[in-house]
Amino acid sequence: MLLALIVLLPFAGSLLAALLPKHARNVAAAFAGTVALACAVLVALHYPQVTEGGVVRHYVPWLPVLGLNLYFRMDGFAWLFAMLVTLIGALVVFYARYYMSREDPVARFFSFLLAFMGAMLGIVLSGNLIQLVVFWELTSLTSFMLIAYWYHLEEARRGARMALVITVGGGLSLLLGVLMLGAMTGSYDIDVVLASADEIRGHRWYAPMLVLVAVGALTKSAQFPFHFWLPRAMAAPTPVSAYLHSAAMVKAGVFLLARLWPALSGTELWFWLICGAGGLTLLIGAFNATYQRDIKGVLAYSTISHLGLITMLLGMNSTLALIAAIFHMMNHATFKASLFMAAGIVQHETGTRDIGRLCGLRRAMPLTTSVALVAAAAMAGVPLLNGFLSKEMFFSEAIAAGDFTGFDFSLPAVATIGSAFSVAYSLRFGHQVFFGPPCGELPRKPHEPLRGMLLPSALLVLACVLVGIFPTWTFGPFLGTAGLSIVGAEMPAYRLAVWHGVTTPLLMSFVALAAGVLFYAWQYRSGRTMDAAPLLSRINPQRLFDLASVRITRGAGHLAEYLFTSRLQPQLLLMVCLALVAGFFTLRDDGWSRGIMALTPVDPLFAMLWVAGGACAIGAAVQAKYHRLAAVIMVGATGLVTCLTFAWFAAPDLALTQLTVEVVTMVLFLLGLRWLPRFREWDDPRRKSLRARARRTRDALIAVAAGAGVSALAFAALTRPVAPGLSSFFVENALSEGGGRNIVNVILVDFRGFDTFGEITVVSTVAIIVYAMLRRFRPAPESILRPTAQAEEDAAREDVIDDDDDLLPTGYLKIPAVLVRLLLPMAGLVSLYFLFRGHNAPGGGFVGGLVMATALIVQYMVGGTIWVESRIRIHPQLWIGAGLLLAAAAGIVAWLAADPFLTSQELTVAGVHLSTVLLFDLGIYLVVVGSAVLMLIALAHQSLRSPRKRVEPVHRRGTLTRAPVAEEAG
């Protein structure tokens, strides 16, 4: 249970942090830091259970029939990574408290940061591959919000979009690879996958599956050729950069490669794909880092290079290389997070990150200089620091892999050259920023930061020193636990020590150090430290990405221009034609032939009912040209015929739902009737007549074809026997398993509750989108979100209807508004009656919500917007959010009872029988009320005119509309 809590706690903290005052920096930082430290404590408590190869598991039933459950799994490697994510997350939160400005909406920042932490912990602790992919994509979404936190900057928006496109695209590739992997092994359980290594490597799908999984991992960890998005993400606040680059998002890719290493490695394809991509990235990132002007640019490209080093180690098909990769993941996290924090301190205290403008800061900032230089030395691989140990292991494995693969010179050469560049850009960062003469004019006078701002970076540097000097005592046990959890019985023998004697890896280390110093000395003396990379600047995948983005955008625009217009009719025509073609080719092979069921005798009264309905449908099509109000009335009549049909066939739930839907839909049509465009008219009467006749003939033929096709399909389905056991299952189990006598409602809220939860989520999303779109054009200043004082004053006047229709929506009814207002509490009682009886009798949350929404919208029609909105104290958005939370809570209660999600739970309180189905139904009720009212209110606001305009009637062939003709002064 604690494993699930570790993942859920940051998400819960994210929701609570979003509710804090947006400028409460101290409160928000303290809260976020407490959540991160609590997660770290919970992770640390599991260490005794994961030693010696132990694994902690926790299952949460989700969809057991499909083999999908929430499965949280912690072994030694997951424990180590979870500690990394939570501890560095806590330090970043503490650092951000000092870095973020008082004017920033810090509550939103910490909310995003905690959500990102939860997504990363979900990746690390997932025991199911599908679940891992879900959290994988969630990290892309939350990182997008963090990178675009300062969304007023074009650079931030562009960098966030680029990161999102690349990483989400890689996530889709990973999903395809995971689906193939699950098909190859018969399970998405990581334990099963890791135990099926021989079967996977011998499968004919191994190569395409490996490529897909590798693309997902390489895009997330910014490996060549997908590395270009990471420097663009530097527009994010420095705490975000420190977290993403050290312990979070970019580490997810190498984490996945290490997690699946036992099942996927050991082949030549793995070596060439993973090791090759890592080697190229190591060189490209290191070379580009030596020519960046921005401090964060240097660190970004150095991150790319070090991730390439880790990827190269993972691709060497060696267990010792795997251990070295894990060791360098942890070392890189400590010195890189410290360096980013130091870079943020420099920018915070000087106002710039430009290396060309910075120099001599050691005099004004001696403590910051000491911390930054030690961290830079660890990144360069200087002895007695942790980076030196893992790089020496890297050299040793490069030599061994070269001997094994036949590349006895190439791999050590790549390792040495990449390390030399690492020394060069580390030396450049330390020397040009902190040494030399004092700086000239800077935006701010440099000085030491507050001690609290420097403390997180200093703690990480202390870890670099302690691990570098005492590796066996400080980090050795954790590394052994992590390695044992991956390789198991094949755990190799190794020794973490500062001195192994005079060995080839030691000589390579000194060669890299000397070469890096010489290269920087040449670069500095020749004045080329600020030049663009002379060769690799021409090989720029970002240009290809930008070009592809422009081409795709233009192509989509041309396609949309060709296929769609601003008019609704051509788009509907296209959709109907595509549906006809798809249906024809799908069912042409005897798909719609009659079944064996006998036909029911036709009742004359029922036939007359449908004749009337068909006549109304035809009349609506004819009248739509000349009298839209009459067409709307006839459409409502067809809906009423459908409602009576449901009642005729003993389906009162469907009839009641259809009736309420028709009422709301008619109100929607009436409110939107005014905004429909005029019919297209032609100057040439003959041309008009010919084109109009041709168009009407075409539309009639397509309508007949579509109607006939749907009728034939319905006839074929109704004459076929029902699948055995399906109907009887619901009838027999509705009361015993679902606890209700209304079978339809039990199906919706219990048997298919997950589908219903998805449907109300879609309804909520649509409502918010409709409101957001119409809000852009809303002329009235009085918003449903925040009624003004003037609106309150106007509403407090006597309940007398003002004849000035400037305050009333179109379609205002001249009836006493007070009578309709008296109906509101009665309608509320009726809606609650339908809500509470729905599980055992016709009704339910959907019907009750529609009744209540109808009652509210009628108040708009007769009382005006001001009167209603000034009295609404609970905004529709809150109704929607509360409904979704209540529906989710019904599912979480089932989890707490160790049952699948949304399984109904029953209890008796004070003799009253209660069920979580009521909680779920109440959520549906709130979502329906909130969504319907939000959409209808947004549309009703369009009927208000501001500035006020005189409206004169315009007659058009039998219909009366209104059109603004002039603006009045004032």
Side-chain angles (χ1 to χ4, degrees), residues 156 178 434 467 529:
V178 163
F434 298 103
V467 173
T529 57

Side-chain angles (χ1 to χ4, degrees), residues 666-826:
M666 288 302 102
V667 174
L668 178 64
F669 281 161
L670 289 173
L671 290 174
L673 200 59
R674 172 187 178 186
W675 300 99
L676 292 179
R678 295 180 180 224
F679 291 104
R680 178 179 295 177
E681 298 182 0
W682 304 96
D683 296 332
D684 184 1
R686 181 183 176 184
R687 185 184 181 191
K688 171 185 175 183
S689 177
L690 292 176
R691 292 206 174 201
R693 289 179 182 178
R695 180 174 58 80
R696 286 197 295 270
T697 303
R698 178 202 64 190
D699 292 347
L701 292 175
I702 293 175
V704 170
V710 173
S711 300
L713 184 61
F715 180 77
L718 292 174
T719 55
R720 282 171 166 77
V722 182
L726 185 61
S727 301
S728 59
F729 171 81
F730 293 127
V731 173
E732 294 169 1
N733 294 280
L735 183 60
S736 59
E737 299 293 333
R741 295 181 175 86
N742 184 354
I743 300 175
V744 174
N745 187 266
V746 171
I747 292 173
L748 293 177
V749 300
D750 194 306
F751 293 123
R752 297 188 61 183
F754 194 72
D755 291 347
T756 305
F757 185 76
E759 289 166 2
I760 63 174
T761 304
V762 171
V763 169
S764 305
T765 305
V766 170
I768 294 172
I769 291 174
V770 169
Y771 177 77
M773 292 177 62
L774 293 180
R775 186 185 181 197
R776 297 176 57 192
F777 310 105
R778 185 177 66 243
E782 292 83 20
S783 169
I784 181 63
L785 293 176
R786 192 176 298 167
T788 61
Q790 183 62 37
E792 298 273 3
E793 181 181 344
D794 293 340
R797 292 179 298 181
E798 196 69 28
D799 287 335
V800 177
I801 301 304
D802 189 352
D803 288 335
D804 182 5
D805 62 356
D806 287 323
L807 295 177
L808 299 177
T810 302
Y812 167 72
L813 304 178
K814 300 287 186 177
I815 62 174
V818 65
L819 296 180
V820 177
R821 291 171 189 170
L822 290 176
L823 291 175
L824 183 60
M826 298 176 61

Side-chain angles (χ1 to χ4, degrees), residues 559-613:
L559 184 63
E561 184 179 354
Y562 179 76
L563 295 177
F564 303 104
T565 68
S566 59
R567 299 173 63 239
L568 180 62
Q569 291 87 344
Q571 299 182 35
L572 291 175
L573 176 67
L574 180 63
M575 287 190 290
V576 171
C577 291
L578 290 176
L580 276 172
V581 173
F584 174 78
F585 283 103
T586 304
L587 303 171
R588 61 179 177 176
D589 297 332
D590 200 35
W592 43 39
S593 63
R594 175 182 172 181
I596 61 174
M597 299 288 290
L599 298 179
T600 303
V602 177
D603 189 300
L605 184 59
F606 181 74
M608 291 178 60
L609 177 67
W610 266 93
V611 168

Side-chain angles (χ1 to χ4, degrees), residues 84-395:
L84 182 72
V85 171
T86 53
L87 286 179
I88 292 189
L91 292 176
V92 167
V93 168
F94 190 76
Y95 172 81
R97 179 258 175 262
Y98 296 94
Y99 180 87
M100 302 303 293
S101 170
R102 296 182 183 274
E103 287 72 30
D104 285 324
V106 290
R108 176 163 59 90
F109 173 81
F110 287 115
S111 176
F112 292 163
L113 193 68
L114 287 176
F116 181 78
M117 180 187 298
M120 274 302 302
L121 289 172
I123 291 177
V124 172
L125 299 179
S126 287
N128 182 286
L129 289 176
I130 299 293
Q131 176 184 329
L132 185 148
V133 173
V134 172
F135 284 113
W136 184 279
E137 294 292 62
L138 192 56
T139 60
S140 298
L141 179 61
T142 50
S143 66
F144 167 80
M145 294 186 290
L146 285 170
I147 296 170
Y149 173 73
W150 286 328
Y151 55 84
H152 59 282
L153 301 176
E154 170 61 27
E155 182 184 4
R157 298 195 300 270
R158 185 182 179 188
R161 285 195 300 268
M162 183 179 293
L164 183 68
V165 170
I166 298 299
T167 56
V168 168
L172 294 176
S173 174
L174 176 63
L175 176 61
L176 293 176
V178 163
L179 293 176
M180 294 179 68
L181 193 58
M184 294 162 64
T185 60
S187 174
Y188 298 107
D189 193 310
I190 286 182
D191 292 309
V192 176
V193 171
L194 296 180
S196 307
D198 294 334
E199 180 183 349
I200 293 172
R201 287 191 288 263
H203 201 281
R204 58 190 177 91
W205 288 357
Y206 172 75
M209 178 274 301
L210 179 59
V211 171
L212 291 171
V213 172
V215 168
L218 297 180
T219 52
K220 187 72 79 172
S221 285
Q223 297 296 285
F224 179 84
F226 312 106
H227 62 282
F228 54 87
W229 70 264
L230 191 57
R232 297 296 175 183
M234 292 301 98
T238 297
V240 174
S241 302
Y243 197 33
L244 264 66
H245 286 239
S246 61
M249 180 172 168
V250 296
K251 284 292 198 308
V254 291
F255 169 84
L256 180 66
L257 293 176
R259 168 57 71 207
L260 298 179
W261 188 90
L264 304 184
S265 66
T267 63
E268 290 189 10
L269 180 60
W270 172 272
F271 172 80
W272 286 106
L273 187 60
I274 306 301
C275 190
L280 286 173
T281 308
L282 169 64
L283 295 178
I284 292 172
F287 186 74
N288 277 315
T290 59
Y291 289 95
Q292 301 301 310
R293 292 183 64 96
D294 186 355
I295 296 178
K296 288 177 69 174
V298 174
L299 299 180
Y301 277 104
S302 72
T303 297
I304 294 172
S305 177
H306 281 268
L307 290 173
L309 185 156
I310 297 169
T311 304
M312 190 175 172
L313 281 168
L314 292 171
M316 290 180 180
N317 291 323
S318 165
T319 53
L320 272 176
L322 173 68
I323 301 299
I326 297 173
F327 191 23
H328 198 70
M329 288 181 199
M330 303 301 118
N331 291 339
H332 175 262
T334 53
F335 62 68
K336 187 54 62 67
S338 178
L339 283 170
F340 267 108
M341 292 179 185
I345 291 172
V346 170
Q347 180 189 11
H348 193 270
E349 306 305 332
T350 65
T352 182
R353 299 196 311 255
D354 190 344
I355 295 180
R357 300 180 61 185
L358 294 169
C359 58
L361 293 182
R362 63 185 177 89
R363 296 179 177 84
M365 308 171 67
L367 294 178
T368 303
T369 301
S370 301
V371 170
L373 290 180
V374 175
M379 181 170 64
V382 173
L384 299 183
L385 295 172
N386 59 351
F388 170 77
L389 298 175
S390 54
K391 278 197 175 183
E392 194 172 47
M393 295 178 70
F394 172 48
F395 292 147

